[in-house]
Amino acid sequence: MHRDEELLLAVLNSAPVSAGRLIDCLDGTSGRELAQSWGGTGTADESAQLRRARDALQSVIRGAEPPDIDGLTVIDGLTVIVDDAVRTPRVTRDGVVWDLQAPDDDRLAVDVVLAWSSVVAEFPGRLRACANDECNLFLVDHSRPGTAKWCSMATCGNRMKARAHASRSSG
């Protein structure tokens, strides 16, 4: 897994469901720690921007676009996140490197949107939500046939297979 994919999944999966309740890991200390672990500022403004990016990207990936987030369509919301960002090329001995310039509290959210774009370009159709309706996690399917359904076979996969078996057995 490369950095873009890791960053994208870290942010997309920052709202897991535990004991039937959605937990927002971008709140408080956990949000600050997540942001700082990716080079962010850890401020409340940065967490709010990451939350906007996460919520918009989750909607786009699920294909269940709500009418708006913060008064904007999901795509317009993503556009606002990247609007003030500029990538400039810098030539090095190893090739061209693109430097990102964005306001400090927006940079990590911009990185997440750019990571999403990179992942969907590199792995078309492979970024998806877990098939377990009670789960709120996402995965990038690296399986050869491209048929992975669950964020984790050990948790969601086994649960879903057990439910399917139970419903076949009781019917």
Side-chain angles (χ1 to χ4, degrees):
M1 197 178 325
H2 56 75
R3 183 188 189 284
D4 283 347
E5 187 177 332
E6 288 177 15
L7 171 61
L8 178 61
L9 289 176
V11 174
L12 286 175
N13 292 337
S14 66
V17 173
S18 178
R21 287 187 41 227
L22 187 71
I23 298 171
D24 190 344
C25 297
L26 293 177
D27 283 339
T29 303
S30 59
R32 186 172 39 259
E33 289 172 355
L34 184 140
Q36 290 173 337
S37 73
W38 290 98
T41 62
T43 66
D45 287 343
E46 181 180 59
S47 289
Q49 193 72 319
L50 281 171
R51 194 173 295 103
R52 283 184 204 98
R54 178 195 64 203
D55 294 349
L57 289 171
Q58 286 181 347
S59 294
V60 168
I61 295 163
R62 284 192 175 102
E65 190 173 319
D68 64 75
I69 293 177
D70 293 339
L72 300 169
T73 68
V74 174
I75 297 301
D76 288 343
L78 292 172
T79 300
V80 167
I81 290 170
V82 299
D83 257 354
D84 293 330
V86 176
R87 287 176 107 181
T88 54
R90 181 172 42 90
V91 178
T92 69
R93 290 190 179 279
D94 297 322
V96 176
V97 175
W98 291 89
D99 294 324
L100 176 63
Q101 298 163 347
D104 288 344
D105 287 339
D106 295 349
R107 181 170 293 132
L108 191 53
V110 170
D111 273 341
V112 170
V113 174
L114 293 173
W116 161 72
S117 180
S118 173
V119 168
V120 296
E122 187 173 348
F123 305 107
R126 301 288 183 118
L127 174 61
R128 60 182 70 113
C130 180
N132 180 354
D133 292 337
E134 296 172 7
C135 181
N136 196 41
L137 301 182
F138 292 77
L139 65 130
V140 178
D141 180 2
H142 290 285
S143 70
R144 175 168 266 157
T147 57
K149 296 179 181 180
W150 303 291
C151 62
S152 165
M153 188 59 198
T155 54
C156 288
N158 284 341
R159 284 182 195 146
M160 298 303 289
K161 287 182 175 192
R163 283 185 198 146
H165 176 73
S167 72
R168 284 191 307 271
S169 297
S170 67

